[in-house]
């Protein structure tokens, strides 16, 4: 179903409350986009950076609070060595060149994931980016690098286990909130909308805990072609859905009528 961008950008039709507070995106299709143009896969990754810029600008326009991008999964290390190397170089380049622009536009950047496997130079750039943008109050941009949802939950479980071992927490008293407090992005709203580009219909170990109630949106559009109009289609589809969180549709309608 096609959705007009004006459905999203027209403030008279859609209020800010209808829009997602947090959007997460699995950026898939860079390699296939490049191969379709008889170019090396790494060319697609470089063009994908442009789509990142467009997405950040789009979320800023709509005053979306958080945008989380799946840049490099823990499984991506199994890709060809030259592709992984190029991705690392591209990541370093983007951190060097783009962070100042993000800071100028009041964007707060956070890299989530296990950074221990990255080079010292890359970790240093990440630390510098965090420090530079830490006090910004605009869009919260999270970039998942060497990230996996199972890693995230395992890491949280380890933190809980340490508290139990230290006698600070009784195992019988452990709650979902205790575990959630140790997850990545625990200080942000959970994703309302999870988008995957590239045509595959899976979430690939991304935000397994945080996206428990996220609306899922899959598109055949390859990531370098995911422009403002494509993003608007995803948002408009989200707005058109009825989110019930375990309630009935009538209960939701009654709640809306009372607010």
């Amino acid at each position: 179903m096609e959705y007009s961008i004006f459905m999203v950008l027209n403030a008279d039709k859609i209020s800010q409350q209808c829009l997602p507070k947090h959007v997460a995106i699995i950026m898939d299709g860079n390699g296939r986009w490049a191969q379709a143009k008889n170019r090396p896969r790494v060319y697609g990754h470089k063009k994908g950076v442009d789509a990142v810029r467009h997405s950040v600008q789009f979320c800023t326009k709509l005053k979306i609070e958080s945008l989380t991008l799946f840049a490099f999964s823990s499984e991506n290390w199994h890709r060809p060595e030259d592709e992984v190397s190029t991705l690392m170089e591209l990541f370093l380049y983007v951190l060097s060149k783009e962070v100042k622009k993000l800071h100028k536009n009041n964007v707060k950047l956070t890299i989530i994931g296990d950074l221990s496997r990255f080079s010292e130079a890359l970790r240093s750039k990440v630390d510098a980016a965090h420090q530079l943008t830490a006090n910004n109050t605009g869009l919260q941009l999270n970039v998942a690098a060497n990230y996996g949802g199972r890693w995230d939950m395992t890491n949280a479980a380890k933190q809980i286990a340490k508290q139990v071992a230290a006698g600070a927490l009784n195992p019988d008293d452990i709650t979902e909130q205790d575990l959630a407090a140790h997850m990545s992005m625990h200080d942000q709203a959970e994703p309302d909308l999870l988008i995957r580009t590239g045509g595959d219909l899976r979430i690939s170990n991304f935000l397994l805990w945080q996206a428990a109630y996220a609306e899922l949106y899959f598109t055949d559009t390859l990531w370098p072609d995911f422009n403002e109009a494509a993003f608007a289609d995803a948002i408009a589809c989200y707005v058109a859905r009825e989110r019930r969180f375990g309630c009935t549709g009538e209960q939701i309608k009654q709640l809306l009528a009372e607010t």
Side-chain angles (χ1 to χ4, degrees):
M1 182 175 181
E2 294 291 334
Y3 294 89
S4 167
I5 189 171
F6 296 107
M7 290 179 63
V8 177
L9 299 184
N10 189 333
D12 293 333
K13 293 183 179 180
I14 297 178
S15 68
Q16 193 69 42
Q17 288 74 22
C18 294
L19 298 176
K21 292 182 174 62
H22 188 165
V23 177
I25 306 179
I26 300 174
M27 306 180 293
D28 196 16
N30 289 334
R32 283 173 286 154
W33 182 89
Q35 289 173 332
K37 299 179 181 300
N38 296 315
R39 301 294 296 268
R41 288 175 57 85
V42 294
Y43 177 72
H45 294 304
K46 292 177 181 177
K47 294 300 292 185
V49 175
D50 293 335
V52 170
R53 293 192 191 100
H54 297 323
S55 294
V56 169
Q57 292 167 2
F58 182 83
C59 288
T60 300
K61 285 181 183 179
L62 265 61
K63 298 181 181 178
I64 290 171
E65 294 177 6
S66 298
L67 173 65
T68 300
L69 304 175
F70 204 6
F72 191 85
S73 75
S74 49
E75 289 79 21
N76 284 158
W77 293 104
H78 301 302
R79 292 189 175 189
E81 185 176 344
D82 60 338
E83 183 174 350
V84 171
S85 177
T86 299
L87 283 170
M88 293 300 102
E89 291 175 4
L90 182 60
F91 196 15
L92 188 61
Y93 171 81
V94 170
L95 284 173
S96 300
K97 299 297 181 180
E98 298 292 329
V99 172
K100 290 183 179 179
K101 296 178 183 177
L102 294 174
H103 180 53
K104 183 179 179 180
N105 288 283
N106 199 29
V107 175
K108 181 178 179 179
L109 176 65
T110 302
I111 310 299
I112 63 171
D114 181 7
L115 304 184
S116 63
R117 194 167 177 179
F118 292 143
S119 68
E120 184 177 344
L122 186 51
R123 292 199 302 272
S124 177
K125 289 291 184 181
V126 168
D127 289 340
H130 286 171
Q131 292 178 24
L132 179 63
T133 65
N135 296 320
N136 290 344
T137 57
L139 174 69
Q140 169 67 61
L141 174 61
N142 309 298
V143 177
N146 196 25
Y147 175 89
R150 291 177 177 176
W151 165 84
D152 205 354
M153 289 189 286
T154 300
N155 187 59
K158 288 179 179 178
Q159 302 307 312
I160 294 291
K162 290 178 181 178
Q163 292 181 25
V164 171
L169 184 63
N170 187 317
D172 293 332
D173 294 333
I174 296 173
T175 65
E176 289 185 14
Q177 290 72 28
D178 292 324
L179 200 59
H182 295 285
M183 293 286 177
S184 299
M185 306 183 298
H186 59 85
D187 56 342
Q188 301 173 45
E190 292 185 344
D192 300 299
L193 173 63
L194 192 157
I195 300 168
R196 180 173 186 142
T197 65
D200 287 332
L201 307 179
R202 56 180 179 271
I203 61 173
S204 297
N205 195 24
F206 184 45
L207 303 180
L208 297 181
W209 178 277
Q210 297 89 336
Y213 281 99
E215 294 293 323
L216 305 181
Y217 179 88
F218 299 100
T219 174
D220 291 333
T221 302
L222 302 177
W223 178 245
D225 291 327
F226 192 77
N227 55 20
E228 187 173 86
F231 206 154
D233 285 343
I235 297 293
C237 182
Y238 168 87
V239 169
R241 296 182 187 181
E242 181 181 69
R243 308 192 75 210
R244 296 191 296 273
F245 297 99
C247 300
T248 66
E250 288 303 315
Q251 286 175 311
I252 295 297
K253 291 174 183 176
Q254 181 178 353
L255 178 63
L256 290 173
E258 293 172 353
T259 57

